[in-house]
Amino acid sequence: MERIIYTNGLIYTLDASHPIVEAVVAEDGRIVDVGSHEEMILQWARKGTKVVDLQGKMATPGLMDSHLHLSGVAFYFLDLDLTGVKSKREMIEKIKEKAQTVPPGKWLMGMGWDENLFDDGRIPTIEELDQVTPHCPIFLKRVCHHAFLVNSKALEMCQIHPAKEPPLGGTIVLDPDTKKPTGLLLESASQLITDHIPEKTYDELKNALDQAMKLAMKKGLTSVHTNDPIYLGGLEQTYRLYDELINQERKGLRCNLLIDYPYLEQLKERGMHAGYGNEKLQIGAIKIFADGAFGRRTALLSEAYHDAPGHFGEAMHDKDALLEMITNSRAHQMPIAVHTIGDQALENVLDILDQVPKANYRDRLIHVSLIRNELIQRLADPSRVADIQPRFVVGDFPWIIDRVGEHRVPSLYAWKSLLSSGVLCAGGSDAPVEPLDPLLGIHSAVTRRAPGDQHEGWNEKEKITLFEAVKLFTVGSAYATNEERVKGTLSRGKFADMTVYSNDLFSLEDPDELLHTKVEMTIIDGEVQDVLDKKKQQI
């Protein structure tokens, strides 16, 4: 690779030994020097060196997303997108329009619906779905991917009836009067449907995944930690897809793959382990679900739901099964990445982690949405990372107050408390559950409100500073995969990954200006990625 000097910039390195520099010198994908414009040009601008003028633009270490599903983002390029739909009527109209393009008997797939955005909070009935899709089965994922809607055609094709026993942790919701399925399935009950849906072709998946990776880089991301095997046809096919795109076709984005627990044995058979791969593509942790989500009251709580007395949520696995899964992962020296939204789910996992040996890589507790103070102290361990998603505040408030009650609101998304207690925190989006845009995540972390809202923020004492928010998506995400020696700061010897912005984030008078800030360059391995407007790349 050629030597490149990125200079005349306002470059925040996040490295305390040289916090702000004007120039970064990259060679063979690594940073070889940083400093002033004059000094770097004098020392490094020899024949054959490329000099890129940043024209005073701000740059940081490359942004990273610590938890998302690129496969889910990819499916938005293939299926019906119901994100942001504001009413049941609008949702039905979109389904009807899409159905007109689907041949009889073929599946209509969609995702992104959220009844909390609807004016009356009511989802389509199975009768309403049948009316607009009489000829084709449908499967529509809620935005959280923990609830699903189907029509009668889908129930018929998959032989689902009122007496059908769902998989452990799943629910087929029945009408209380007729005792017939309403078309709503929760959690693992979706497997009764997905087992019958024809898989996308390899080329369809690869093309869509390619588009998702380009979108990630367009948003300024240089690395992502992504969980996909369940959605991309298993471990073998998932790794093949990423290997072809990243290592063979040189698509640029660095990817760390979370592997779902059911594929642990295949991982062993292939000789794969945490850190397996190279600088661009690596195997990460074993992904496990401990509970569900707040939307359908399947997140596991230590105290009953405020709006459903006597109901505590759902454990995806009992404690013995959870212990066995974590123990088996440890036998292969694998760290775990556990979905824990409710405080009881988090406590259950921490109880087990206190019993088992540590792995060579950090364990990750994903989401930690509701957390009691005593659990925060147990998370403050250098072998553990709280993998948080700031945009959840936008998606969950204000309706979540009804779920947990006013008295537990101070324990929701307690990011300031986590950081103040020394908990290692990484920042992600959980896309496609929330938008694949780290600047939106940073905005949420700082304001704790939706774009356009004017209030002081939900549970405002847990706001963090803009500097802390940027560190979530840089330094913190590097710690999540034990890559702090090569990522997270712009330091000599680390990867030459940078994100360049239209505004100086740390000088913004109003955090809402983040919403108008653009990514000007995404630089990976010292090279500008060809995903932005051409005119923007020529600054």
Side-chain angles (χ1 to χ4, degrees):
M1 297 182 184
E2 64 181 339
R3 179 185 300 151
I4 305 177
I5 302 175
Y6 290 94
T7 190
N8 191 26
L10 180 61
I11 304 172
Y12 294 88
T13 67
L14 305 190
D15 184 331
S17 64
H18 42 258
I20 302 176
V21 299
E22 295 175 320
V24 171
V25 183
E27 189 170 7
D28 295 330
R30 299 269 183 160
I31 296 170
V32 296
D33 209 353
V34 298
S36 68
H37 166 78
E38 182 178 356
E39 188 179 34
M40 294 301 101
I41 292 296
L42 180 64
Q43 292 189 26
W44 296 100
R46 303 181 183 92
K47 184 178 181 180
T49 298
K50 181 179 179 180
V51 178
V52 178
D53 186 354
L54 296 178
Q55 297 185 352
K57 299 293 184 182
M58 177 198 183
T60 67
L63 295 176
M64 293 180 264
D65 191 310
S66 63
H67 182 67
L68 50 65
H69 307 269
L70 270 185
S71 55
V73 178
F75 283 129
Y76 277 119
F77 294 100
L78 296 170
D79 299 331
L80 174 62
D81 184 2
L82 296 170
T83 305
V85 168
K86 300 295 185 183
S87 67
K88 180 174 76 169
R89 180 190 298 272
E90 181 185 355
M91 181 174 173
I92 292 173
E93 283 301 314
K94 282 184 171 290
I95 296 169
K96 180 180 179 180
E97 181 181 357
K98 181 68 174 180
Q100 293 172 356
T101 69
V102 179
K106 298 293 184 181
W107 283 85
L108 189 164
M109 307 288 289
M111 65 176 73
W113 59 272
D114 182 359
E115 76 281 10
N116 291 304
L117 301 178
F118 297 176
D119 43 19
D120 62 0
R122 297 171 58 193
I123 60 176
T125 65
I126 195 167
E127 291 80 14
E128 289 170 328
L129 294 174
D130 290 344
Q131 187 174 359
V132 295
T133 58
H135 65 293
C136 64
I138 66 172
F139 182 68
L140 309 174
K141 299 178 185 177
R142 191 181 183 276
V143 64
C144 64
H145 287 215
H146 291 271
F148 314 84
L149 279 173
V150 298
N151 61 356
S152 296
K153 195 77 171 178
L155 294 175
E156 176 188 340
M157 291 181 64
C158 300
Q159 300 180 338
I160 297 177
H161 48 77
K164 184 80 170 182
E165 190 70 26
L168 181 65
T171 303
I172 301 171
V173 179
L174 303 179
D175 184 284
D177 297 323
T178 67
K179 307 302 180 185
K180 294 181 179 180
T182 63
L184 179 64
L185 307 176
L186 303 180
E187 304 297 349
S188 58
S190 63
Q191 295 173 18
L192 298 173
I193 298 292
T194 56
D195 287 346
H196 295 268
I197 297 175
E199 295 181 356
K200 299 283 195 300
T201 68
Y202 186 84
D203 286 342
E204 284 176 331
L205 291 175
K206 184 175 177 181
N207 290 335
L209 191 59
D210 184 12
Q211 292 181 75
M213 292 173 68
K214 288 177 180 175
L215 178 60
M217 290 185 285
K218 186 174 182 179
K219 296 297 182 181
L221 292 165
T222 59
S223 296
V224 299
H225 311 160
T226 180
N227 175 217
D228 303 302
I230 287 178
Y231 311 106
L232 292 182
L235 172 64
E236 293 284 344
Q237 181 160 285
T238 298
Y239 194 82
R240 178 187 168 194
L241 285 163
Y242 279 102
D243 185 48
E244 288 183 5
L245 287 167
I246 294 174
N247 291 324
Q248 297 179 35
E249 300 178 19
R250 315 285 296 178
K251 294 300 181 180
L253 187 67
R254 299 186 196 276
C255 293
N256 183 281
L257 308 183
L258 297 183
I259 307 301
D260 302 278
Y261 178 79
Y263 302 103
L264 177 61
E265 290 304 316
Q266 292 182 33
L267 199 75
K268 293 179 182 179
E269 292 169 3
R270 284 208 54 173
M272 292 178 168
H273 48 79
Y276 176 94
N278 55 32
E279 296 175 348
K280 299 300 285 292
L281 176 63
Q282 286 190 5
I283 295 294
I286 294 295
K287 174 69 181 295
I288 298 171
F289 282 87
D291 68 344
F294 287 124
R296 288 290 161 179
R297 303 178 186 84
T298 54
L300 187 63
L301 310 184
S302 61
E303 178 187 332
Y305 279 85
H306 177 72
D307 58 356
H311 182 65
F312 293 81
E314 305 290 342
M316 295 299 289
H317 311 280
D318 63 37
K319 291 184 179 180
D320 289 339
L322 197 57
L323 173 61
E324 181 180 7
M325 296 167 77
I326 294 175
T327 301
N328 289 342
S329 299
R330 281 295 197 268
H332 192 51
Q333 272 299 307
M334 290 295 293
I336 56 169
V338 191
H339 170 112
T340 54
I341 283 186
D343 62 327
Q344 189 60 57
L346 175 61
E347 183 175 2
N348 291 349
V349 175
L350 290 176
D351 286 345
I352 294 172
L353 289 180
D354 287 344
Q355 301 175 42
V356 301
K358 291 179 170 57
N360 293 329
Y361 286 74
R362 294 180 182 93
D363 293 311
R364 301 158 70 169
L365 290 306
I366 300 173
H367 307 317
V368 290
S369 301
L370 180 68
I371 183 168
R372 307 192 308 275
N373 286 334
E374 64 267 26
L375 298 180
I376 293 178
Q377 301 306 317
R378 296 177 64 184
L379 265 180
D381 182 310
S383 68
R384 298 169 184 171
V385 172
D387 196 338
I388 64 177
Q389 289 65 48
R391 270 287 296 196
F392 277 14
V393 163
V394 173
D396 289 359
F397 279 96
W399 60 263
I400 196 173
I401 299 174
D402 292 332
R403 294 287 189 275
V404 303
E406 290 279 0
H407 66 291
R408 281 187 287 190
V409 168
S411 298
L412 284 169
Y413 307 113
W415 310 320
K416 190 70 174 182
S417 295
L418 289 168
L419 291 172
S420 299
S421 298
V423 177
L424 294 175
C425 294
S429 65
D430 203 18
V433 174
E434 295 293 342
L436 180 68
D437 188 339
L439 290 179
L440 288 179
I442 291 169
H443 177 269
S444 298
V446 173
T447 66
R448 297 184 70 92
R449 55 176 168 77
D453 285 354
Q454 299 301 314
H455 57 77
E456 292 302 313
W458 301 106
N459 193 12
E460 61 177 304
K461 72 179 181 63
E462 293 294 346
K463 288 179 180 178
I464 63 176
T465 68
L466 209 150
F467 187 76
E468 289 171 327
V470 170
K471 286 185 69 176
L472 289 179
F473 289 86
T474 51
V475 178
S477 291
Y479 272 99
T481 51
N482 285 49
E483 293 181 283
E484 63 269 22
R485 292 184 178 181
V486 292
K487 292 180 180 179
T489 67
L490 297 176
S491 309
R492 295 176 183 88
K494 291 192 176 184
F495 297 148
D497 297 351
M498 293 193 294
T499 306
V500 182
Y501 313 86
S502 60
N503 294 326
D504 176 5
L505 305 186
F506 299 139
S507 296
L508 299 179
E509 295 183 4
D510 183 347
D512 282 349
E513 292 181 57
L514 280 165
L515 305 173
H516 308 293
T517 298
K518 305 297 182 184
V519 170
E520 301 281 359
M521 285 185 181
T522 302
I523 300 166
I524 303 175
D525 272 337
E527 298 180 353
V528 179
Q529 299 305 297
D530 187 22
V531 292
L532 305 177
D533 296 338
K534 295 296 181 181
K535 61 181 180 181
K536 285 187 177 181
Q537 294 185 15
Q538 296 171 0
I539 56 177

